[in-house]
Amino acid sequence: MNLNIKDKFNKELPADPDNSNTRRQVHNACFSYVTPRKPSMPKLLHYSEEMAANIGLDSQDVKSSDFLKVFSGNEVMENTKPYAMCYGGHQFGQWAGQLGDGRAINLAEVEHNDKSWSLQLKGAGATPYSRTADGFAVLRSSIREHLCSEAMYHLGVPTTRSLSLMLSGDQVMRDMMYDGNADYEKGAIVCRAAESFIRFGNFEILASRGELETLKKLADYTIKNHFSDIQQEDKSKYLDFFREVTNRTQEMIVHWQRVGFVHGVMNTDNMSILGLTIDFGPYGWLEGYEENWTPNTTDRQMRRYRFGHQPSVALWNLVRLANAIYPLVEESKGFEEILNQYQVNYQQAYADMMMSKLGLENKENLKKDLIPNLIEVLQLSETDMTIFFRKLAAFTKEGNSKNEEIDFLALIKDAFYNPEEIKDEVYLKWQNWFESYRQHLQLESLTDNQRKTKMNAVNPKYVLRNYMAQLAIDAADNGDYSVINELHTLLKKPYQEQLENEKWFVKRPEWARHKVGCSMLSCSS
Ligand code: AMP
Ligand code: MG
């Protein structure tokens, strides 16, 4: 196994001088050196071929004992010095102080094909930032992270990636629903990959402590290595940096809304400075379209991180980041302009995205209530988001039969969880919406077929439905890892018709409606 190691973060930024692995507050440093804990019997369960190729590894490399040792944390690669990052964060709206990589350890940065990848083990033991927790991860949450990060990538959503999924061979104690029923679960280790794992919280912790020199070093480092288009040397570079982070964050959120992804814990420590989806914990996918839905049981009361609130939470988080880097600029006007612009840009990007989901191209012809009315009708009776948009692509400008009023119903009936509810006023509202939609289509120049092709390129047919991940987990708990591979393969081509995989293009089965792990998830992972 030959990796082209090019470490930057731990070479260019200030390290914690204390090398002991004891839990503590770490000052004036961006990271602490820490060695992964040796797992007792590591076993490779699955890996991403594409991600391996990204760092220059082929299938022989992945099957080598070196790979098993390095990516389970058993052995540290020559000339590398693994470390955990120091960051803070606002959790559920409150400043939480120092958090840091409590169960993530960065192994090294690798360069391949002109791209740089930071490789990080999640679940490889405690670090100085573990606080009261153990530094491990369980198999169920590791399967969810591994599958979802690769699925997001193939959906075209900016995301961190996952190279490998291993069993550690150790048992980990968890109280899955925080209800006093703790039990042992299998420990696992995922190797994540991203250009960088720097978060909003890395800046916030330094600003909160008034460690402005280190803050400046981190900002300069981030700009130089990850925002290299920003060339100027004066203070304006920090504003350009902030604008770019804001734009990338906004783009990421529009993608989440497009595919129906709910992150579940949008704390500022879970916001990537590169605008990548990061930290796949109690996330979930919309099945029935519902703006108020959140999978995270910890957030059941407030629903702070519900689907429809993600765009404003992102803005709230960006304000926290603006506050953190403000001392480098010492003028608020520029920040305010960028933050105000976020709202304008978001609205535009959201409208463009929704138009693309509907196969509409001509903004001048868009009536202002078409999209809001759709959001309303989708929520009148539980309607599966993925199935609805996919089936909608077959709608025609002219209608197929004389009986046009039932046309639309036949088309999208598979998306309704309770088809018997589509009557009376609900029916009429749907009918009105479809009439308006057809009028829009008639003003467009695309043929039905052209529109269908375009719509199918933005409306996925296959997403990692909450129950699908749970099926992979249940099978894995019984020693059957084939479902992990089946879903991983399926989700590499989420926009393609896969006739052999129609069984995954169905509504959530009823047994999954209230099952733990399917619609209800906790942060315990
Ligand atoms: P999360 O909610 O997973 O984003 O985690 C918030 C903070 O808690 C981060 O600093 C994590 O590193 C830390 N953390 C979460 N789970 C564990 C664990 N099992 N052991 C140590 N630290 C953890
Ligand atoms: Mg986190």
Side-chain angles (χ1 to χ4, degrees):
M1 188 173 73
N2 205 349
L3 290 170
N4 179 26
I5 309 254
K6 288 271 165 65
D7 278 345
K8 300 184 291 283
F9 190 90
N10 61 356
K11 292 210 160 137
E12 296 180 27
L13 288 167
D16 171 10
D18 183 348
N19 284 336
S20 67
N21 195 348
T22 52
R23 286 143 209 220
R24 58 180 178 269
Q25 293 293 309
V26 174
H27 290 275
N28 259 316
C30 291
F31 64 92
S32 307
Y33 290 114
V34 56
T35 307
R37 206 183 84 134
K38 287 184 188 297
S40 61
M41 221 210 288
K43 180 179 170 182
L44 177 65
L45 296 186
H46 195 262
Y47 75 99
S48 157
E49 260 173 55
E50 294 88 357
M51 192 50 235
N54 282 340
I55 54 169
L57 301 183
D58 62 23
S59 58
Q60 283 313 103
D61 294 319
V62 174
K63 284 174 191 134
S64 69
S65 64
D66 277 358
F67 187 93
L68 183 72
K69 285 183 199 152
V70 168
F71 295 109
S72 66
N74 202 297
E75 205 172 280
V76 172
M77 287 182 284
E78 248 176 62
N79 301 322
T80 65
K81 287 188 86 177
Y83 59 95
M85 287 186 187
C86 180
Y87 55 79
H90 280 83
Q91 300 188 313
F92 298 94
Q94 304 292 327
W95 174 242
Q98 177 181 300
L99 299 166
D101 287 330
R103 53 149 167 194
I105 299 177
N106 295 274
L107 294 182
E109 289 173 82
V110 168
E111 250 177 55
H112 186 67
N113 286 343
D114 285 334
K115 277 200 81 170
S116 178
W117 294 96
S118 192
L119 303 175
Q120 177 180 88
L121 298 186
K122 188 163 173 181
T127 76
Y129 307 97
S130 296
R131 298 179 293 156
T132 56
D134 57 12
F136 298 122
V138 294
L139 180 57
R140 68 184 146 84
S141 65
S142 306
I143 291 174
R144 283 170 51 82
E145 173 132 21
H146 180 66
L147 283 179
C148 198
S149 31
E150 290 303 282
M152 290 288 263
Y153 167 72
H154 292 290
L155 282 164
V157 182
T159 181
T160 63
R161 304 286 304 270
S162 179
L163 171 66
S164 56
L165 167 67
M166 306 233 183
L167 277 179
S168 64
D170 300 306
Q171 297 281 305
V172 176
M173 177 79 95
R174 285 288 180 274
D175 183 355
M176 186 162 54
M177 294 314 286
Y178 302 122
D179 59 2
N181 290 313
D183 208 348
Y184 281 107
E185 297 185 47
K186 287 179 190 163
I189 301 155
V190 159
C191 178
R192 309 197 280 193
E195 186 187 315
S196 165
F197 287 98
I198 299 174
R199 303 144 189 267
F200 289 12
N202 294 67
F203 298 86
E204 286 180 279
I205 188 70
L206 298 170
S208 78
R209 291 168 167 167
E211 296 171 354
L212 301 187
E213 235 174 83
T214 313
L215 175 70
K216 183 170 183 315
K217 282 184 190 155
L218 177 65
D220 290 344
Y221 169 89
T222 308
I223 294 169
K224 181 179 112 200
N225 290 294
H226 304 294
F227 294 80
S228 54
D229 287 351
I230 301 173
Q231 296 277 342
Q232 70 269 37
E233 286 301 325
D234 60 3
K235 284 180 176 181
S236 70
K237 71 172 171 178
Y238 302 114
L239 274 182
D240 280 6
F241 164 57
F242 182 67
R243 184 179 300 108
E244 183 63 23
V245 176
T246 302
N247 290 342
R248 290 194 197 188
T249 303
Q250 178 240 289
E251 281 163 27
M252 172 186 79
I253 300 287
V254 172
H255 278 291
W256 290 1
Q257 307 308 99
R258 172 175 65 85
V259 298
F261 176 78
V262 188
H263 183 284
V265 214
M266 287 177 71
N267 294 331
T268 55
D269 51 303
N270 291 337
M271 297 292 291
S272 144
I273 203 74
L274 300 182
L276 306 172
T277 314
I278 190 173
D279 277 9
F280 293 86
Y283 68 83
W285 293 81
L286 282 194
E287 295 183 296
Y289 185 95
E290 201 188 318
E291 296 265 322
N292 280 330
W293 187 71
T294 176
N296 185 356
T297 50
T298 318
D299 192 22
R300 196 168 13 194
Q301 296 299 323
M302 300 299 290
R303 296 186 181 264
R304 180 180 175 86
Y305 298 140
R306 63 192 182 271
F307 178 67
H309 206 212
Q310 296 188 125
S312 24
V313 169
L315 176 61
W316 192 90
N317 289 343
L318 285 161
V319 176
R320 308 282 85 72
L321 178 65
N323 282 326
I325 56 181
Y326 168 83
L328 304 179
V329 183
E330 289 182 308
E331 222 195 82
S332 55
K333 195 162 150 275
F335 289 106
E336 280 161 18
E337 275 168 18
I338 294 166
L339 290 165
N340 288 335
Q341 195 58 37
Y342 169 93
Q343 322 217 38
V344 178
N345 292 353
Y346 179 80
Q347 290 306 335
Q348 275 175 11
Y350 176 78
D352 290 347
M353 177 275 286
M354 287 303 287
M355 282 183 66
S356 74
K357 285 181 84 66
L358 295 173
L360 299 174
E361 298 195 308
N362 217 329
K363 223 169 176 171
E364 293 88 75
N365 293 333
L366 179 70
K367 295 217 184 74
K368 73 172 187 326
D369 54 4
L370 183 79
I371 294 168
N373 285 352
L374 174 62
I375 303 302
E376 189 201 330
V377 286
L378 279 170
Q379 297 179 96
L380 291 176
S381 172
E382 194 178 12
T383 311
D384 192 275
M385 176 180 182
T386 302
I387 297 178
F388 169 77
F389 281 105
R390 194 72 188 188
K391 293 271 180 181
L392 186 67
F395 193 63
T396 57
K397 277 186 187 184
E398 308 303 337
N400 300 326
S401 69
K402 292 203 176 72
N403 207 352
E404 280 187 24
E405 40 314 345
I406 59 158
D407 234 352
F408 76 87
L409 209 51
L411 185 73
I412 58 161
K413 68 173 189 318
D414 289 345
F416 294 124
Y417 281 82
N418 305 294
E420 72 285 356
E421 287 177 8
I422 314 302
K423 59 178 186 198
D424 306 334
E425 207 183 325
V426 175
Y427 179 91
L428 286 177
K429 284 195 165 168
W430 268 114
Q431 190 184 34
N432 285 341
W433 186 81
F434 268 98
E435 256 167 38
S436 167
Y437 181 46
R438 183 163 276 151
Q439 284 162 11
H440 278 81
L441 295 183
Q442 286 170 352
L443 296 173
E444 297 270 334
S445 55
L446 290 183
T447 65
D448 286 335
N449 261 336
Q450 286 168 331
R451 186 180 63 258
K452 182 172 186 180
T453 307
K454 290 199 139 197
M455 286 171 75
N456 285 350
V458 293
N459 295 321
K461 177 152 184 176
Y462 305 105
V463 296
L464 183 62
R465 289 171 182 274
N466 313 307
Y467 84 92
M468 289 163 66
Q470 191 58 37
L471 288 178
I473 292 165
D474 290 344
D477 278 339
N478 293 321
D480 170 8
Y481 306 111
S482 66
V483 187
I484 299 174
N485 191 47
E486 182 180 353
L487 294 182
H488 176 83
T489 307
L490 170 81
L491 297 167
K492 276 188 205 181
K493 294 183 175 146
Y495 299 102
Q496 258 182 40
E497 298 294 328
Q498 301 182 38
L499 290 181
E500 69 286 12
N501 280 317
E502 285 290 310
K503 70 169 175 185
W504 298 119
F505 182 57
V506 290
K507 287 180 292 241
R508 171 201 60 231
E510 273 312 301
W511 60 258
R513 183 180 287 274
H514 299 296
K515 185 170 154 52
V516 170
C518 295
S519 58
M520 294 192 296
L521 291 133
S522 75
C523 288
S524 116
S525 51

